[in-house]
Amino acid sequence: MSEKYGLFINNDFVEPRSGKWFESLDPFSGEPWALIPQANAEDVDAAVRAADAAMRGPWGSMSASDRGMLLHRLGALIDANAQRLTEVESRDNGKLQSEVAGQVRYVAKYFYYYGGLADKIQSAVIPMDKPKVFNYTRYEPIGVVGTITPWNSSLLLTAWKLAPALAAGNTVVAKPSEFTSVSLLELARLFVEAGFPPGVFNVITGFGQEAGEPLVTHPLVPRIAFTGGDEGGRKVNELGAKHFKRVSLELGGKSPNIVFDDADLAKAANGVITGIFSAGGQTCMAGSRLLLQESIHDEFVERLLTITRNAKVGDPSKPGIQVGPVATRPQFEKVMRYINIAKEEGARCIAGGRAPQGPEYGCGQIIEPTIFVDVDNSMRIAQEEVFGPVLAVMKFKDEEDALRIGNDIRFGLAAGVWTQSLKRAMLMSEKLRAGTVWINNYRSTSYTTPFGGFKDSGIGREGGIDAVKEYLETKSVWISTDLDMPDPFIRKY
Ligand code: NAD
């Protein structure tokens, strides 16, 4: 029967003040499996107040080195509990257990990396243009950070924010997606075990308007880190702007994966498949627009068909399965709608396009890897984020044409280029308007490297050393050793 969870506030699991819970559904079986507290504004307020108080408690006065040690301890506990975290995350979002297992091990590394950085963020003594005055900078935590994340990779996308925010000395109130709450509640237990003081990490579960908006607008939350779709991102940005919040946004994408005729086509075909069909296409960085040089179009499409025809779809907890269910029923319906739209627009479906039924396919929420050819870049299937296993294939003539089509999109999260020419690779990586460009690989990410979007794909960067600074305020301190003010009304330069 379903496990019943509480909200995590002040190192304790508590019942929601709303008195309400909702069910989390297993995307493969369609069955409810966990009961999630439905937080309201009062619950959010309690969590934020706990986080705010923790800034003034032992956490606020802890040395950066000790904070780093705690983050390390948390990383080790994530490693030790990887199996449990994998099971609950995969049960909530339907991703293959084999993929989630790798992701969870990688989450631990975020805490090691940012734990290591905690005491290495050095400020500066500034050389002065005037005598008898001394100036230096201090980096200070911003305060309570609200993180809001989507359903596709709850733990990983929260870790991208949580690890640098804590390394910088902030406290956090995390709101996971209403579809995937359990993994963060399980992570919360590990904070207690690691020895974090109460209030440093809090989890508020529930819905966007009911729990997300009160977090964004709360006067004690100066910083919001959001990952999700356009609509939610726009609303969060508008609400944040009204209250002068520091807001970062990681939003959607419709990334071009561009294959030139001089590429290693076998490797490129595998890279294209990884780009769109791993995680069932439910990643912001999915290479959902495939641009093929005219001369290799037919041959390359044939390679893709050979690979997709053999794809094993089914229960994501079973080894050997390559494509699992779409994470939520509304998302499943959205993807199926896009498949119909693409057909109506005149694109030709040459693979997939269906949701197989039968006991081996669970509740019927799996969509076969789907490929559309004869796509024009003006079609909705080429311009809008589907967030599912659907690839739109287009042709291009030369580099200029590839850049024109590749950049003709409102998103700018990522792009892939497959070529053996260094000159071409350099040209494309310079001219593509995207936050990440992969040459002869796709979907590589690392905690050491910045990730984020150009254009409508977001504001700000996560990952790498600089991510810590996204969670710090810079203060400039002036010390005069001999203040000389002959006329206090007139400022001397
Ligand atoms: P979503 O925008 O519906 O929800 C994301 C989160 O925002 C959820 O926790 C939701 O409850 C919350 N939310 C929604 N409306 C809100 C509001 N008005 N105020 C406060 N919070 C609100 O996104 P989703 O459907 O869960 O996830 C899919 C989207 O996420 C896709 O567009 C995908 O591209 C994007 N995404 C981006 C990245 C990235 O790094 N750029 C990574 C993963 C997913």
Side-chain angles (χ1 to χ4, degrees), residues 257-260 263 265 268 272 290-293 296 300 396 418:
N257 211 348
I258 304 171
V259 184
F260 284 95
L265 296 188
V272 167
L290 174 61
L291 275 55
L292 292 178
Q293 197 154 16
I296 52 156
F300 197 84
F396 69 88
W418 300 83

Side-chain angles (χ1 to χ4, degrees), residues 250-271:
E250 294 283 357
L251 305 175
K254 189 80 187 177
S255 301
N257 211 348
I258 304 171
V259 184
F260 284 95
D261 57 8
D262 67 346
D264 178 327
L265 296 188
K267 287 193 177 135
N270 279 338

